[in-house]
Amino acid sequence: MASLYVAKQQLRSAMKNKLGAIPQESTLSQSSVVCNTLKTFKPYVEAKRVSVFLSMPTGEIQTDAIVRHALESGKEVFVPYLHKNPLASSDLPVRVMDMVRLDSMRDYEALEPDRWGIPSIDPATVHDRLRIFGGPDAHHSDKALLDLILLPGVAFDRDPDTGAIRRLGHGKGFYDYFLDRHKAKSMALGKQESSPVLLYGLALSEQFLSSPSEGSVPVGPLDQPLDGLILGNGEIKTPTGNKTAP
C-alpha cells in the first residue's frame, strides 16, 4: 500500500504541472464540448437524478453550463457536500461526502465560493435539503438514489489488460467512500441489479493518459472503475476499448 500511495502522489504531482500549463481558453473550450456532448448522451438524457461536481476555477472541466442545463431540463441535480463523519471510528474517514439537491437555478446561483473558489452549499441550509444519505431530519433520504454521477479526477487511463477506465482522484477518498455507501444503500433497497448508478468521468483531453510514455493510473482495491469517460475533444472512452464521437 505504501508503494501505491507513492505512485499516486508522483502522478498527481506530474499532472499538477501539466494541468497548470493549460490556457484557460482551452479549458473553457473543452468544457463547452463536454457539455454539448452530454446533451445528446443517452445515459445523461435518460437520467432523472444526476450528481455533478462543482469545479475548481482551473485545471479541470468547468461544470457550470452542465449544472444549468440539467436544472433547465427538469432533472434533480445533486452536488457534493463535505461534512464531519457522524460515525466515530478509527476505521472510517473523519470527513465524508454526501450529495445534496439543488432546489432551483436561483438556489444554484446563490452558492458562495469556498477558499478554493468552488461554489459550495451553505451548511445552514443542509438540513432543509434532500440528501442521498442525510440524517433523521431528512425524511425523504431513505429512498433517494442517483442515476448518474459525473466525477472529477486528476488523471484517467484505460487498463491495457482489462480495458477498464481508471481514475486517479485527489487523494481524499471522498468518492470511494460515497460510492461504497451508495452501493450498500442500493442493495438494501433491492435496486443494485435493476438500476445501478452509472459513473462517468469528465476530463480535459490532457488528463487522459493515452500511452505508456505519459504514465499510467495506479489503482488499489478501493478504486472503482468507471462506466466511461467524456473528454474535452468530444470523445467518449468506454471500458470495452471503443471510442465513440457524440
Side-chain angles (χ1 to χ4, degrees), residues 202-224:
L202 305 181
L204 301 168
S205 297
E206 292 86 349
Q207 290 179 279
F208 184 73
L209 309 179
S210 58
S211 67
S213 63
E214 295 180 286
S216 61
V217 173
V219 294
L222 299 179
D223 296 306
Q224 298 196 37

Side-chain angles (χ1 to χ4, degrees), residues 180-200:
D180 279 344
R181 295 174 71 197
H182 192 277
K183 181 178 180 180
K185 180 176 179 180
S186 182
M187 292 179 68
L189 294 173
K191 297 183 178 181
Q192 181 63 22
E193 296 300 327
S194 61
S195 56
V197 63
L198 296 175
L199 310 177
Y200 277 84

Side-chain angles (χ1 to χ4, degrees), residues 140-245:
H140 301 292
S141 292
D142 56 339
K143 295 183 180 179
L145 290 170
L146 296 166
D147 300 319
L148 173 68
I149 299 179
L150 301 176
L151 296 90
V154 176
F156 303 84
D157 74 354
R158 182 185 286 120
D159 188 310
D161 297 319
T162 67
I165 301 296
R166 303 185 295 196
R167 168 184 173 268
L168 175 70
H170 291 276
K172 302 298 184 181
F174 292 131
Y175 274 95
D176 294 330
Y177 188 58
F178 175 86
L179 293 174
D180 279 344
R181 295 174 71 197
H182 192 277
K183 181 178 180 180
K185 180 176 179 180
S186 182
M187 292 179 68
L189 294 173
K191 297 183 178 181
Q192 181 63 22
E193 296 300 327
S194 61
S195 56
V197 63
L198 296 175
L199 310 177
Y200 277 84
L202 305 181
L204 301 168
S205 297
E206 292 86 349
Q207 290 179 279
F208 184 73
L209 309 179
S210 58
S211 67
S213 63
E214 295 180 286
S216 61
V217 173
V219 294
L222 299 179
D223 296 306
Q224 298 196 37
L226 303 182
D227 292 290
L229 175 67
I230 302 174
L231 294 176
N233 60 5
E235 285 187 319
I236 301 174
K237 304 286 186 178
T238 70
T240 59
N242 296 324
K243 298 178 185 177
T244 58

Side-chain angles (χ1 to χ4, degrees), residues 3-225:
S3 60
L4 177 64
Y5 174 80
V6 171
K8 287 186 174 185
Q9 289 298 92
Q10 289 176 339
L11 182 54
R12 289 187 184 105
S13 179
M15 290 301 298
K16 180 179 180 181
N17 294 330
K18 184 178 182 179
L19 296 175
I22 300 175
Q24 187 65 359
E25 303 82 51
S26 176
T27 297
L28 295 176
S29 175
Q30 292 192 56
S31 298
S32 178
V33 170
V34 168
C35 182
N36 288 331
T37 300
L38 276 172
K39 290 177 181 179
T40 57
F41 185 50
K42 186 176 179 181
Y44 171 79
V45 172
E46 294 182 348
K48 296 180 179 179
R49 285 181 169 176
V50 181
S51 163
V52 187
F53 68 93
L54 300 180
S55 309
M56 297 183 293
T58 60
E60 64 183 4
I61 290 295
Q62 301 297 290
T63 58
D64 176 71
I66 297 172
V67 173
R68 292 176 182 276
H69 181 268
L71 288 169
E72 290 169 351
S73 300
K75 300 182 186 299
E76 291 187 65
V77 181
F78 291 74
V79 297
Y81 173 71
L82 303 179
H83 62 95
K84 183 178 179 181
N85 193 341
L87 304 175
S89 170
S90 59
D91 298 328
L92 299 175
V94 176
R95 297 185 76 222
V96 295
M97 181 174 69
D98 200 350
M99 294 293 176
V100 302
R101 188 176 65 184
L102 295 174
D103 295 328
S104 63
M105 187 73 74
R106 184 175 182 179
D107 179 32
Y108 168 61
E109 292 176 342
L111 299 184
E112 295 288 340
D114 62 14
R115 56 178 174 167
W116 295 284
I118 303 172
S120 299
I121 297 291
D122 182 351
T125 71
V126 169
H127 296 304
D128 298 323
R129 296 178 182 271
L130 178 64
R131 291 170 278 164
I132 296 302
F133 299 119
D137 57 322
H139 302 298
H140 301 292
S141 292
D142 56 339
K143 295 183 180 179
L145 290 170
L146 296 166
D147 300 319
L148 173 68
I149 299 179
L150 301 176
L151 296 90
V154 176
F156 303 84
D157 74 354
R158 182 185 286 120
D159 188 310
D161 297 319
T162 67
I165 301 296
R166 303 185 295 196
R167 168 184 173 268
L168 175 70
H170 291 276
K172 302 298 184 181
F174 292 131
Y175 274 95
D176 294 330
Y177 188 58
F178 175 86
L179 293 174
D180 279 344
R181 295 174 71 197
H182 192 277
K183 181 178 180 180
K185 180 176 179 180
S186 182
M187 292 179 68
L189 294 173
K191 297 183 178 181
Q192 181 63 22
E193 296 300 327
S194 61
S195 56
V197 63
L198 296 175
L199 310 177
Y200 277 84
L202 305 181
L204 301 168
S205 297
E206 292 86 349
Q207 290 179 279
F208 184 73
L209 309 179
S210 58
S211 67
S213 63
E214 295 180 286
S216 61
V217 173
V219 294
L222 299 179
D223 296 306
Q224 298 196 37

